[in-house]
């Protein structure tokens, strides 16, 4: 079933163009500049009453939720909290009947995420899910859902089930922003129209696998790494670090770049790989100054940079080039080289990327 690929993870990374094309199909009306997700069971009246969205999930799914927070706040002007499900379920959260508890789960069977949904239900919240496995508990428990169109994900390291919910959350934000009256016709049309770019942007990143492989060869023996991002790309630092640690067993930490001087920069020396996510987005200038600081302390610096960005290239020891994209969509682009990088580092180290030690594909116990 792996076809031409060596591992499911590699196959699933490459399936992202198809998965994202299917994510848009049937929901995006490019003519009208509208998004339709009937499975949400949402009325305009209800949309206007929503006072808060609590996104709850674990691991990679939680990282997708963190990007979604920016979409939902900026596009729909709804307050959003992102809660790790294993924490949320044991808190005494402030939830009422106008609060949405939105679970994100590939398997739809993660014990903590389901318990977080149950807690939301008990407190009278509106329950939504973004879920891949059809007919799973997370789909059945919800009042409304968005079904990821990725097909089954076999590799333990989640890849296509990360980028699909990013697009789902972006679409959800447009639906809510529209219903709540926060989007002008022109703004909505622009946001919807930009979705046309998604499959080709991801395809363009995948075409650059060989260049990522070359950097992977140069860096395969690193022992410590720090992934830095800001704003909408801050969760991509978490996600990139998680990908590397779970399949290559290299120590990797993700940090909001602005936190560096509050402690972690003490770790930077010539043995430390600093991987900075710095596409052309509204946080770009801040990222550049933080990359300069890491470089000044002797770190090995790799940067994810937008094509043609000579400023980033001059500072960096290694560059992962990504195509220019509207800033809202940059996380969907910047995560791809990080998935490919983790994959190649792990295989170069002779590890079984589809079955990493100590991990299961779905965590159905606490
Ligand atoms: O099935 P779920 O999306 O609920 O799973 C959540 C996490 O266990 C999962 O994303 C995990 O972090 C992945 N192995 C990361 O690659």
């Amino acid at each position: 079933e792996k076809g031409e690929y060596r591992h499911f993870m590699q196959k699933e990374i490459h399936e992202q163009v198809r998965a994202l094309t299917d994510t848009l199909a049937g929901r995006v009306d490019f003519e009208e500049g509208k998004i339709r997700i009937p499975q949400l069971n949402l009325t305009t009246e209800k949309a206007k009453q929503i006072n808060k969205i609590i996104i709850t999930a674990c691991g990679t799914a939680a990282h997708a939720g963190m990007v979604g927070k920016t979409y939902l706040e900026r596009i729909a002007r709804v307050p959003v909290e992102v809660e790790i499900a294993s924490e949320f379920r044991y808190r005494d959260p402030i939830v009422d009947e106008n609060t949405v508890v939105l679970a994100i789960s590939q398997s739809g069977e993660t014990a903590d995420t389901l318990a977080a949904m149950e807690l939301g239900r008990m407190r009278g919240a509106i329950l939504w899910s973004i879920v891949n496995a059809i007919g799973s508990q997370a789909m059945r428990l919800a009042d409304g859902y968005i079904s990821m169109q990725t097909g089954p994900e076999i590799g333990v390291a989640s890849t296509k089930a990360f980028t699909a919910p990013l697009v789902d959350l972006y679409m959800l934000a447009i639906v809510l922003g529209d219903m709540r009256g926060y989007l002008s016709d022109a703004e909505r049309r622009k946001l919807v129209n930009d979705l046309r770019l998604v499959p080709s942007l991801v395809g363009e990143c995948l075409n650059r696998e060989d260049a990522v492989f070359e950097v992977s060869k140069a860096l395969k023996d690193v022992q410590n790494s720090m992934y830095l991002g800001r704003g909408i790309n801050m969760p991509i630092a978490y996600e990139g670090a998680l990908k590397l640690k779970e399949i290559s067993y290299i120590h990797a930490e993700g940090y909001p770049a602005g936190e560096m001087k509050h402690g972690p920069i003490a770790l930077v020396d010539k043995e430390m790989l600093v991987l900075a996510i710095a596409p052309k987005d509204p946080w770009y200038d801040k990222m550049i100054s933080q990359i300069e600081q890491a470089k000044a302390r002797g770190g090995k610096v790799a940067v994810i940079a937008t094509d043609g960005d000579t400023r980033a290239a001059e500072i960096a020891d290694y560059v992962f080039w990504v195509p220019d994209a509207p800033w809202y969509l940059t996380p969907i682009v910047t995560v791809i080289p990080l998935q490919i990088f983790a994959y190649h580092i792990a295989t170069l180290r002779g590890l079984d990327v589809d079955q990493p030690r100590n991990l299961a594909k779905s965590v159905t116990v606490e």
Side-chain angles (χ1 to χ4, degrees), residues 265-323:
I265 200 161
L267 289 169
V268 177
D269 63 11
K270 64 179 183 1
E271 304 299 327
M272 175 65 79
L273 169 64
V274 176
L275 220 153
I277 301 145
K280 287 284 174 64
D281 67 14
W283 297 271
Y284 169 78
D285 287 325
K286 299 280 171 214
M287 279 304 300
I288 290 291
S289 77
Q290 272 138 355
I291 297 165
E292 281 166 344
Q293 288 171 29
K295 183 74 192 162
R297 282 157 185 85
K300 268 194 271 286
V301 175
V303 178
I304 300 199
T306 304
D307 286 344
D309 180 1
T310 48
R311 206 169 147 207
E314 271 165 25
I315 323 171
D317 301 301
Y318 307 93
V319 184
F320 298 101
W321 293 110
V322 290

Side-chain angles (χ1 to χ4, degrees), residues 224-239:
N224 290 292
S225 59
M226 210 181 264
Y227 285 62
L228 305 178
R230 278 188 90 135
I232 200 165
N233 279 287
M234 185 271 279
I236 303 305
Y238 291 153
E239 176 58 9

Side-chain angles (χ1 to χ4, degrees), residues 57-62 104-110 113 148 155-159 161 239 242-243 246 359-363:
C58 304
T60 287
I104 305 175
S105 179
Q106 187 288 128
S107 64
E109 302 292 351
T110 299
T113 307
M148 294 183 206
V156 167
S158 191
T159 52
E239 176 58 9
L242 177 59
K243 286 292 87 96
E246 70 179 330
L359 293 173
K361 179 63 182 161
S362 92
V363 184

